[in-house]
Each structure stands twice: as C-alpha cells, then as structure tokens.
C-alpha cells in the first residue's frame, strides 16, 4: 500500500532554495497558494532547507486506491496532477548526489495531488500526505513518533513524524484525514486506505453513504471498532442531556493529554468560532504536547482535578501549555494552546488507547489514587525518610496535592527504566527486583508516576509509581477491582497485595534501595 | 493472569525476612469507582451521537 511513497518518478526537478528562489512564489505559481503547502514550505525553510526535489509520479499505492474509490462516488473525477516533493538540508544539483545522503538530510516530504470534477465544481490541489519531524525542542513532548519510509529518485530514506493529510471533499473530509494521521501510528501495517475507512463508516448508514457529508462519532467509532483500536470518547452534546456538568467533570484536555502522553494520540471535534462558523464543526488529530515547567496555574489551585467530592489530585497535564497536532485546513505540526478551544466549543473528544488495553489514562490515574491515598496512614508513620514524609503530607486527606502522570508502557521499557534510575544519592535499585518483574508483569502496564508540585515540573523527577494491569476490564458492578493493582513503589518501599480476604486486600511490603526521588520516564 | 498476589509470592521467596505485612484500609472506593463508571457511561452515551464533522 505504500507504492505512492516509493514509485519511481517520470520527471525530476532539483531546485536550489537559496535566494532568489521564493517558496511563497513557488506555491503561488504551482499550487494555487494552498495554505497547507505554504506551511510545509515554511517548515522546510525554518529547518534551513537548501534543496527541493520535485518528482512527477504516476498513481500507485494508496493514491491509486483513492482514485479507484473516488470514481464510485464521483464518476467524472480525474486526477490531473501528482507530485512528490522532498526538502533537503544540503545543497546539491544532481540525482546521484542522493547516493551519499542519509536520513538526517531529509527535512520532510509532501505528496500533493490535484483532483478535478466538473459535477462537484472541484479543481484543486490537496496534500495527500506529508511528514515533517517536529523540530527538537526540550519542551516538545511527542512520544512514539512513527518512522515513515519513502523513496526519492529510487533511493530509500526514513523520516520520523506523524502523517499529515488533507481532505478533498470527494472521498474524504476532515474526520477521515484526522483518523488516517493517527491510525498510521497505531496499525501494525501502518497504511490504511480511505476506501477501507469508508467501508467501515458506511456500515452504520441505513441509506446512501457519501463521505463528502462528513463523519460523526457513530462512524468514527465504527472505524475504530472495525480496526480493533481501543478508545474512550465523549460526545459532550449527547452527555450534556443527562449531565450538564460533564464538561467540568470530564474536560476534553484530560482526554487529549491521556492519548498523546502514551503516544497513541487523540481527536478533538469542535465548533468553529467566528461570524461565518454557524453550524460548522471540525475535527483534528493531536499527537503531542508542549511542557512548560513555569506554568502558574498548578500553584494557584486552578488545575486541581476533583475525582469526587473528597478526592482529587494535580494532573501532570497542568503543565501542558499547548497540544501539538495537525489542521487539515492550515497544515502540519501546530501548537494549539490548551485553553484556545473553549469548553462550550468542544463537542467530541477521543482518547486513543494503546493496542489491547482495556481502559485509558483518564481512568488509570483515578484508579491509582485509591491505592496511593490509602497508603497515607502507613506512610505518615514511617520513620527517617524525609521524602516519605513529604509524600505522606501531600497524600493526606486534607491536602491531596500529589502530581500524577499516567503512561502506557511496555514491560521491558519499565524494567529497563527501573534498572537504570538513580536516586539523589546515586543509589540504583536492587537488580533482583527488575529481574523478577520481567517475568511477573504483563506485556504492557499502566505506570502512574507519583510526584509533588515542586518536584515534578522544574526538576522532572518523581517519588515512585503505581503500576496497574491494563488488560483487566472494569466490572460495572465492582469497578475498584484489586486485580488491576500490581504494585506501588515509593522511596524505600514496594507494596503488593498478598491476598484478598472478604474483599479486603492484605498488603505486603519489601524494601527498595531507591530512597529518594528519581527521573521520570521519558518514552 | 498477572496479579499482585503472584508477584508478592515471588518477592517473598526472594526477600524472605525483609517482606513485611502492611495494614491498609482501602479508601475512596466509592468516589473513584463512580468516576471510573462516569467515564465508561460517557463513552457508551456517544453511541447515540447525531453530530457530523466536515
């Protein structure tokens, strides 16, 4: 299905992007001043592009599939242009220079397609797909970014980044392209055709299905269920009918953060603002966030999250300043401030969950509190460790100001992390413990890191974790199920449930050699 | 099935005398349980959605 990325070109132009070349003029001359293409050229310029290669290519792979599909909806459709653009950090003039180029020379690529349909009054270029790596900045958090392989003039290159795609209103609109962006990082064979997305979406339609009419949560759910992608979503319009406080109780930012922090991604559907917006609704994919250690809100209580009347905590998302995503109208790799979309505009949110897991990060964080806060009496009586004293203080019923950060991680990632972290005095963990955990943990876990407000943001350090089994579904009759809990680690101690008697867990502790704070896990 | 009791058994074998019994009363079960079910309820309600995104 990746033929469109690898097909040999029919014509090649290699263009120096040094002055007097103008990306602006080029986009105006050849791509109808497309805003999204302008964005791609700007991203390339900001990465100091020196050379642009423009390949004319024939239809192949997903482009061929799309053209075959469009005809079934729009019989007079013709593809009138298809080009593969690649942007390079070094200056060169000939194709054979590519022999010596490596992956890091490639800034990004764009496959741009022109569709024509007189009956739909449509004659326009759109970006079929593009990948530009988000520039490395210590505040950018993009986890598990996929690797994409393309060929340029027959030479193969890899580039890391989340696929960006645009709609054409013929066989795909914003929801289709948003889904494709995220699914390319989730599916084992990465590529998914729009024909497959439409086949799954149309299974929910009683009458005639036309993708140009858009997709709603019902179709989006059918697609995700059809592909076995776990997710949690909220239709705020629907849920507000029975709970007028749903926006406050389950804010969309929690779902976005939970999805992007574990690398699976999230979708946000919202009403457009502005005088011409009226009923227009748009949906875009998010795949990362920015982290601002100096954010004021957590210290001012504004970001305290209430699970229930008497239980709450400070979520690590409090230090997120923006979510990183694509907008199919404007281009790839935008930072959208976390409060830019007002709650009353946010109509639908989807947290993508890692493959096979039965619940998401929003629920994992909440569940971890039961165990963490229940340990407070024991921790408050523990002697001679100032970090346990501090954790006990912030876990106390009257304070409850622990910081939690939920990550879905592979067992081996966690074990490797546990083996390598050092506390402030340089102590490593007893190697027997991670060795045992390698055999005793499921393939993936929810790891909820526990920290304090002055330890987490500026220092990016933690006091421990609560580790949960993500493969156990919630029982509606008994949601707090001790089979989710695997263990908790705090300075100097591990806690396990040894047995459950009459629905009361009996805990056991063993010592940890890590006596204070350590680095958080970066995936 | 991977469970905490199974991990506890192996840890106790490995760490013997260092393993200690800890008394913990589980708190906030009802509130946290309600929150978890609220998330699942909202997820189920989305089946009835009438929205469309273009």
């Amino acid at each position: 299905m990746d033929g469109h990325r690898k097909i040999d070109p029919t014509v090649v132009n290699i263009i120096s992007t040094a002055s007097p070349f103008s990306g602006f003029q080029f986009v105006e001359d050849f791509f109808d001043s497309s805003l999204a293409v302008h964005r791609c050229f700007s991203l390339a310029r900001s990465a100091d592009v020196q050379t642009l290669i423009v390949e004319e290519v024939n239809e192949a792979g997903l482009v061929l599939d799309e053209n075959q599909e469009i005809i079934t909806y729009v019989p007079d459709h013709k593809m009138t242009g298809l080009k593969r653009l690649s942007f390079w950090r070094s200056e060169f003039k000939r194709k054979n220079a590519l022999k010596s180029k490596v992956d890091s020379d490639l800034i990004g690529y764009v496959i741009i397609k022109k569709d024509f349909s007189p009956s739909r009054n449509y004659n326009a270029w759109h970006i079929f797909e593009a990948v530009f790596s988000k520039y490395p900045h210590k505040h950018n958090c993009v986890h598990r970014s996929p690797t994409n392989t393309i060929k340029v003039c027959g030479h193969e290159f890899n580039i890391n980044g989340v696929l960006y795609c645009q709609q054409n209103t013929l066989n795909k609109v914003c929801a289709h392209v948003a889904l494709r962006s995220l699914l390319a990082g989730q599916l084992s064979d990465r590529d998914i055709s729009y024909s497959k997305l439409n086949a799954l979406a149309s299974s929910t339609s009683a009458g005639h299905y036309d993708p140009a009419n858009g997709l709603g949560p019902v179709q989006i759910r059918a697609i995700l269920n059809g592909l076995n992608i776990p997710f949690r979503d909220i239709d705020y319009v629907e849920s507000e009918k029975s709970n007028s406080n749903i926006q406050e109780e389950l804010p969309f930012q929690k779902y976005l953060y939970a999805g992007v922090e574990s690398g699976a991604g999230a979708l946000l559907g919202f009403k457009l603002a502005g005088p011409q917006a009226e009923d227009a609704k748009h949906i875009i994919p998010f795949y990362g966030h920015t982290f601002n250690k100096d954010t004021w809100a957590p210290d001012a209580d504004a970001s305290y999250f209430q699970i229930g009347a008497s239980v709450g905590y400070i979520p690590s998302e409090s230090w997120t300043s923006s979510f990183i995503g694509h907008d199919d109208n404007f281009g790839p790799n935008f930072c959208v401030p976390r409060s830019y979309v007002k709650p009353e505009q946010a109509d639908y949110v989807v947290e993508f969950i890692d493959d096979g897991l039965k619940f998401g990060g929003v629920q994992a964080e909440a569940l971890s509190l039961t165990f963490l806060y229940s340990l407070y009496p024991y921790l408050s009586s523990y002697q001679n460790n100032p970090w346990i004293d501090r954790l006990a203080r912030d876990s106390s019923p009257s304070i409850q100001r622990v910081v939690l950060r939920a990550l879905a991680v592979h067992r081996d990632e966690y074990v490797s992390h546990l083996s390598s972290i050092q506390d402030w005095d340089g102590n490593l963990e007893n190697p027997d413990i991670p060795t045992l955990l390698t055999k005793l943990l499921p393939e993936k876990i929810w790891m909820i890191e526990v920290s304090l407000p002055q330890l987490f943001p500026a220092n990016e350090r933690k006091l421990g974790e609560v580790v949960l089994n993500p493969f156990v579904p919630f029982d509606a009759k008994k949601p707090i199920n001790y089979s989710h809990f695997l263990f908790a680690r705090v300075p100097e101690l591990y806690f396990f449930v040894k047995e459950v008697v009459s629905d009361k867990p009996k805990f056991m502790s063993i010592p940890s050699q890590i006596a204070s704070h350590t680095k958080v896990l970066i995936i | 099935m991977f469970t905490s009791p199974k991990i506890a058994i192996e840890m106790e074998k490995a760490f013997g005398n260092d393993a200690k019994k800890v008394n913990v009363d589980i708190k906030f079960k009802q509130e946290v349980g309600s929150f978890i079910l609220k998330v699942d309820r909202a997820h189920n309600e989305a089946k009835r959605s009438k929205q469309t995104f273009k």
Side-chain angles (χ1 to χ4, degrees):
Chain A
M1 288 228 265
D2 62 356
H4 56 293
R5 289 188 203 107
K6 296 184 174 173
I7 188 171
D8 286 335
T10 55
V11 177
V12 178
N13 277 314
I14 299 180
I15 303 167
S16 168
T17 55
S19 175
F21 175 85
S22 162
F24 266 80
Q25 196 64 54
F26 193 84
V27 177
E28 286 169 10
D29 290 344
F30 296 108
F31 299 116
D32 303 330
S33 303
S34 156
L35 289 176
V37 181
H38 269 306
R39 170 73 179 162
C40 291
F41 272 75
S42 294
L43 288 174
R45 186 64 81 190
S46 71
D48 199 24
V49 62
Q50 299 297 315
T51 304
L52 165 67
I53 298 180
V54 181
E55 299 173 278
E56 306 269 347
V57 290
N58 289 325
E59 59 181 5
L62 288 181
V63 172
L64 174 60
D65 185 277
E66 172 166 281
N67 289 339
Q68 290 169 340
E69 189 201 17
I70 294 177
I71 292 283
T72 65
Y73 298 113
V74 186
D76 66 350
H77 166 262
K78 282 187 177 47
M79 183 182 80
T80 54
L82 185 65
K83 297 178 195 285
R84 189 168 59 213
L85 280 59
S86 51
F87 300 86
W88 301 86
R89 293 185 207 281
S90 52
E91 195 171 348
F92 53 93
K93 294 181 168 42
R94 296 179 197 283
K95 278 192 284 188
N96 62 9
L98 287 167
K99 276 188 212 160
S100 63
K101 298 303 167 204
V102 295
D103 294 345
S104 56
D105 290 314
L106 177 62
I107 295 169
Y109 76 90
V110 179
I111 295 175
I112 183 160
K113 178 174 182 261
K114 193 163 191 180
D115 290 314
F116 173 65
S117 161
S119 65
R120 293 280 180 107
N121 194 26
Y122 190 90
N123 183 21
W125 289 99
H126 76 280
I127 293 180
F128 183 81
E129 70 178 52
V131 176
F132 286 82
S133 297
K134 188 79 177 92
Y135 60 84
H137 186 285
K138 61 180 184 172
H139 284 177
N140 286 342
C141 304
V142 179
H143 300 147
R144 305 197 202 283
S145 196
T147 300
N148 309 271
T149 305
I150 68 158
K151 277 189 177 173
V152 181
C153 300
H155 299 272
E156 193 167 283
F157 297 92
N158 294 315
I159 180 162
N160 195 258
V162 176
L163 213 67
Y164 166 75
C165 322
Q166 254 192 313
Q167 61 175 289
N168 61 7
T169 72
L170 301 176
N171 69 317
K172 60 196 180 188
V173 294
C174 61
H176 297 85
V177 298
L179 280 163
R180 186 174 164 229
S181 281
L182 296 182
L183 290 172
Q186 288 291 95
L187 297 171
S188 53
D189 48 4
R190 306 297 280 281
D191 279 316
I192 182 152
S193 63
Y194 292 110
S195 59
K196 173 77 173 172
L197 294 179
N198 284 319
L200 289 167
S202 66
S203 67
T204 65
S205 297
H208 171 67
Y209 172 76
D210 186 345
N213 292 334
L215 296 182
V218 170
Q219 287 88 9
I220 292 169
R221 290 163 67 98
I223 289 169
L224 295 178
N225 286 328
L227 296 171
N228 293 317
I229 303 287
F231 64 99
R232 284 290 181 280
D233 61 348
I234 306 184
D235 179 324
Y236 288 105
V237 174
E238 198 58 40
S239 285
E240 269 164 2
K241 294 175 186 170
S242 56
N243 181 356
S244 57
N245 295 325
I246 191 72
Q247 282 278 10
E248 200 179 302
E249 291 171 9
L250 296 176
F252 70 88
Q253 290 95 338
K254 284 205 75 60
Y255 282 71
L256 292 187
Y257 183 83
V260 305
E261 189 68 343
S262 288
L267 296 173
L268 179 65
F270 56 95
K271 284 189 272 291
L272 295 169
Q276 291 173 1
E278 294 248 346
D279 294 328
K281 294 194 186 204
H282 195 39
I283 191 164
I284 58 179
F286 289 98
Y287 59 86
H289 66 88
T290 59
F291 178 80
N292 186 340
K293 57 176 67 178
D294 299 321
T295 296
W296 166 81
D299 289 316
D301 279 340
S303 55
Y304 188 76
F305 186 66
Q306 207 86 31
I307 295 288
S310 59
V311 59
Y313 69 102
I314 301 174
S316 62
E317 78 174 87
S318 305
W319 287 272
T320 292
S321 45
S322 302
F323 291 102
I324 303 172
H326 298 324
D327 185 317
D328 83 297
N329 290 323
F330 301 117
N333 299 356
F334 280 106
C335 290
V336 179
R338 68 190 299 274
S339 300
Y340 182 79
V341 175
K342 304 282 177 284
E344 57 270 22
Q345 284 177 272
D347 282 344
Y348 181 60
V349 67
V350 186
E351 172 198 351
F352 279 49
I353 296 171
D354 206 11
D355 186 30
L357 274 53
K358 299 298 181 193
F359 57 96
V362 176
Q363 290 168 309
E365 275 184 6
L367 182 57
S368 72
L369 278 181
T370 315
F371 302 104
L372 182 65
Y373 285 164
S374 299
L375 288 170
Y376 160 71
Y378 182 84
L379 296 177
S380 62
S381 64
Y382 193 82
Q383 302 287 318
N384 299 325
N385 185 306
W387 286 103
I388 291 189
D389 290 344
R390 292 167 187 135
L391 177 58
R393 178 198 63 211
D394 280 8
S395 304
S396 65
S398 59
I399 296 183
Q400 293 189 358
R401 289 182 66 80
V402 293
V403 177
L404 297 183
R405 173 182 179 239
L407 285 179
V409 296
H410 294 268
R411 170 191 56 223
D412 295 345
E413 277 176 322
Y414 175 70
V415 167
S416 173
H417 169 70
L418 187 62
S419 301
S420 64
I421 49 174
Q422 292 180 297
D423 69 13
W424 190 242
D425 297 306
N427 296 310
L428 288 164
E429 185 54 276
N430 179 338
D432 292 340
I433 294 177
T435 299
L436 275 171
L437 289 175
T438 301
K439 300 176 217 164
L440 297 168
L441 290 180
E443 186 195 343
K444 294 180 192 172
I445 56 170
W446 271 115
M447 177 193 69
I448 296 89
E449 293 183 316
V450 180
S451 189
L452 306 179
Q454 297 306 331
L455 184 63
F456 176 75
N459 301 297
E460 294 177 61
R461 294 180 75 88
K462 62 178 175 181
L463 292 179
E465 309 86 45
V466 177
V467 175
L468 304 176
N469 187 338
F471 297 106
V472 178
F474 286 113
D475 178 349
K477 297 198 179 80
K478 204 166 129 184
I480 304 302
N481 186 329
Y482 305 114
S483 57
H484 291 108
F485 179 80
L486 291 172
F487 66 90
R489 183 185 70 80
V490 300
E492 291 193 4
L493 294 164
Y494 285 87
F495 296 95
F496 308 93
V497 169
K498 195 169 169 192
E499 57 179 340
V500 181
V501 177
S502 306
D503 201 36
K504 287 191 190 322
K506 307 288 182 197
F507 282 77
M508 178 191 95
S509 73
I510 62 165
S512 168
Q513 287 180 183
I514 299 174
S516 64
H517 50 88
T518 69
K519 283 186 190 172
V520 297
L521 173 59
I522 305 296
I523 55 172
Chain B
M1 172 96 161
F2 299 91
T3 66
S4 195
K6 286 183 183 173
I7 304 175
I9 288 170
E10 297 302 319
M11 291 293 177
E12 196 169 24
K13 278 185 205 165
F15 295 98
N17 295 336
D18 290 332
K20 292 183 169 44
K21 200 163 70 171
V22 174
N23 290 322
V24 178
D25 282 328
I26 296 295
K27 298 185 189 314
F28 305 120
K29 274 176 68 170
Q30 186 164 350
E31 286 183 76
V32 174
S34 295
F35 177 84
I36 286 170
L37 292 179
K38 188 189 309 184
V39 173
D40 278 349
R41 194 162 47 245
H43 177 60
N44 286 331
E45 285 169 351
K47 281 182 212 166
R48 301 195 292 263
S49 177
K50 305 274 186 298
Q51 299 190 72
T52 305
F53 299 98
K54 292 175 75 157

